[in-house]
Amino acid sequence: MEKILLLLGLILMVYNVLYGLRLKRAIPGGVMGERGGQMLFLIAFFALAYLAILFLTWDEPASLLLLLLSLVLFLGAVFVYLVLRLVDAIVASL
């Protein structure tokens, strides 16, 4: 279960990076453009962290701690997706 949550989180974070790149291109400059670049950097950094944690814990036996970590990371990826959708909706309404 832990590995599945980590893989789903990683897949969602990769999607978030692609979604963030699309948003970055749609927001050419100004405060939103500057902050968009910073946000995209952090999303990509966390996507790499998901990959690193997946590799580091691949051979670990199932445990409550690993399950909680996987759940928190997966929900973090969902949160990033929701924030990107919110930014997209705000930009579309301008």
Side-chain angles (χ1 to χ4, degrees):
M1 181 65 163
E2 297 89 0
K3 307 302 187 268
I4 293 170
L5 284 173
L6 283 171
L7 280 171
L8 288 174
L10 176 62
I11 290 167
L12 186 54
M13 286 303 285
V14 169
Y15 176 78
N16 288 338
V17 168
L18 297 174
Y19 194 2
L21 283 170
R22 187 181 66 78
L23 278 175
K24 177 78 171 116
R25 277 185 251 126
I27 308 168
V31 174
M32 288 291 285
E34 179 185 327
R35 299 290 185 222
Q38 294 169 353
M39 187 171 64
L40 184 59
F41 170 76
L42 288 173
I43 293 170
F45 175 79
F46 279 104
L48 291 175
Y50 277 65
L51 186 62
I53 289 174
L54 186 63
F55 281 128
L56 290 173
T57 62
W58 189 258
D59 290 332
E60 294 292 319
S63 69
L64 181 60
L65 184 61
L66 188 54
L67 178 64
L68 289 174
L69 174 67
S70 302
L71 185 61
V72 167
L73 288 174
F74 175 72
L75 292 175
V78 170
F79 174 76
V80 169
Y81 172 73
L82 292 174
V83 168
L84 286 172
R85 286 195 49 199
L86 175 65
V87 169
D88 196 12
I90 291 170
V91 168
S93 70
L94 295 177

